[in-house]
Structure formats: structure tokens, C-alpha cells
Amino acid sequence: MTLGTGPGGPLEVLVVDDDVRVARVNAAYVGKVAGFRVAGQAHTAAEALAFLEGTQGAHVDLVLLDHYLPDGTGLSLVRRLRQLGHHTDIIMVTAARDIATVQAAMRHGALQYLVKPFTFAGLRAKLEGYAALRRALEGDGEAGQDQVDRIFGALGGASAGPAELPKGHSALTADLVREVLRGAEGPLSAQEVAERSSLSRQTAQRYLKLLERTGRVRLSLKYGETGRPEHRYDWV
């Protein structure tokens, strides 16, 4: 992992895409996700390499990398970066969907792989998963099994984005529950989520369980006078 900009600072992202218009759209998407900032844009492998080797490149945490570039492939660029000692994190954002390329991306250390075309919600899920991974890796020392599970589950949870919900689930409803939790000052019960989102308690509970299974929501128990714990949820 890269060292990044330090605790509390936004995560700096380099957007690399051969299509200037696509790069501009992707950069606008990144700018809409809390905790992220666009460090720059590049449209060739040479431009991306020059940026990362320059002064600004030292602060880049993440590269959103297209595979099809006019002067090489994204994976070739990743190999070159590793040879030069750059360990900037990579999320592939590309139309390449053949298994060989996906497998090669994994072997070269890409943290996620987003297939074009995608929605803002799809990219946001990947970025939020990456931010969760960064938080899970904060601190030094040894990790217990619980922390290891959180680290490996952080990016896995991102794969269950609104565009990839199980059959019978609505991306709009998932987004609604998500925004309620993100805007809350502390953990909420299923009933509180239902009231704030104008959903039924049963529907709110179903989506909360889904988000909790994918690692996006943290479940805690609050014990009252009756002795029966109340389930409470907050956004990770």
C-alpha cells in the first residue's frame, strides 16, 4: 500500500484513460466521492509514468487505470511502475473483460477491476471499498485474525455495489439506506432507518442485513432494560 497523504487528508487519485472525455467524466465522478481528490489526468502510459515520477506523483494514492492506451497497455504500465519501485495502488477501469486480462490484473496487484460501461454508483462503491481498506490498514504492529478478516473483507464488500445487488434488490433503495446511515451521527436501529427513509421496517431490515453481510455496514448490539439486545447499524 502507498503511504498516501497522511491521516485525515483526502486520497489523491490519478485518472488514466486514452479518451479525454471519458477521463474528464471519471475525474468528475471521483470528485463527487467524499474523501477523494483528483491529482491529475493522463491519456497515455507515458503521460501517466511522467506524472507519477514527477513531484505530484509522490502524493498519488490510487490510479484509476484504463487497459487500452495508445502507447501500450495498462498492465504493461503497472509492470513498469513496479520495476521502478512505485507501489501506488491500482484499480483497473476498462472495457477489457477477457479472463486472461482480469487474471493478469490480479497477479500484478490491481486491487479492483471495474468493467466499462459503469455507473457513478459502481465507481463510488469501488472507491469506498478502497477507503475502507485504507482505514483497516491504519496503525502498526501485528494483526489478529479479526483484523485480518476486516482487511481482506474491505475490498470484497465493495464488489456488492448497487450495480451488483442480488436479484430482487433495488439499487435506489440500497442507496437510500446508505445515505441515511452516512448522514447519521451514530448507529441507528432498523426502525430508525425505516422512519428516516420512509421504508417499511421489514424492507429496511432486509437491506441493512445485506449491507452488513458485504462489510459496508457494522452491526452492534445495544442492551436495554428488557435484556433483549437491540440491533444497531452504522456505515463503515
Side-chain angles (χ1 to χ4, degrees), residues 139-201:
D140 300 313
E142 297 182 347
Q145 186 62 53
D146 287 348
Q147 185 178 1
V148 170
D149 290 342
R150 284 197 300 274
I151 291 170
F152 277 87
L155 283 170
S159 63
E164 303 172 32
L165 290 170
K167 186 177 181 180
H169 289 76
S170 162
L172 292 177
T173 304
D175 267 349
L176 184 59
V177 172
R178 168 188 173 278
E179 291 303 324
V180 167
L181 290 175
R182 289 193 62 179
E185 296 182 355
L188 299 176
S189 67
Q191 183 60 42
E192 290 170 326
V193 172
E195 291 171 355
R196 298 188 187 193
S197 59
S198 299
L199 298 171
S200 69
R201 187 186 184 284

Side-chain angles (χ1 to χ4, degrees), residues 13-24 26-27 30 38-52 60 62-75 77-78 81 88-95 114 116 118:
V13 181
L14 173 64
V15 177
V16 182
D17 198 291
D18 68 314
D19 190 316
V20 175
R21 291 170 300 176
V22 172
R24 192 177 298 130
N26 291 350
V30 171
V38 177
Q41 299 179 39
H43 310 297
T44 68
E47 287 180 8
L49 182 59
F51 189 97
L52 292 169
V60 173
L62 176 68
V63 178
L64 294 185
L65 181 60
D66 189 11
H67 183 59
Y68 298 121
L69 299 172
D71 55 346
T73 66
L75 292 181
L77 176 59
V78 175
L81 289 172
T88 310
D89 297 321
I90 306 290
I91 291 180
M92 299 296 295
V93 180
T94 176
L114 186 59
K116 295 178 180 178
F118 55 86

Side-chain angles (χ1 to χ4, degrees), residues 71-133:
D71 55 346
T73 66
L75 292 181
S76 296
L77 176 59
V78 175
R79 284 195 293 268
R80 182 59 179 154
L81 289 172
R82 299 312 185 226
Q83 291 170 357
L84 294 172
H86 293 283
H87 299 289
T88 310
D89 297 321
I90 306 290
I91 291 180
M92 299 296 295
V93 180
T94 176
R97 59 182 68 211
D98 58 286
I99 297 300
T101 300
V102 175
Q103 187 178 56
M106 292 175 62
R107 289 175 174 171
H108 284 85
L111 295 177
Q112 275 289 359
Y113 199 106
L114 186 59
V115 177
K116 295 178 180 178
F118 55 86
T119 62
F120 167 62
L123 178 59
R124 181 180 61 194
K126 302 300 185 189
L127 293 177
E128 289 179 345
Y130 174 70
L133 176 63

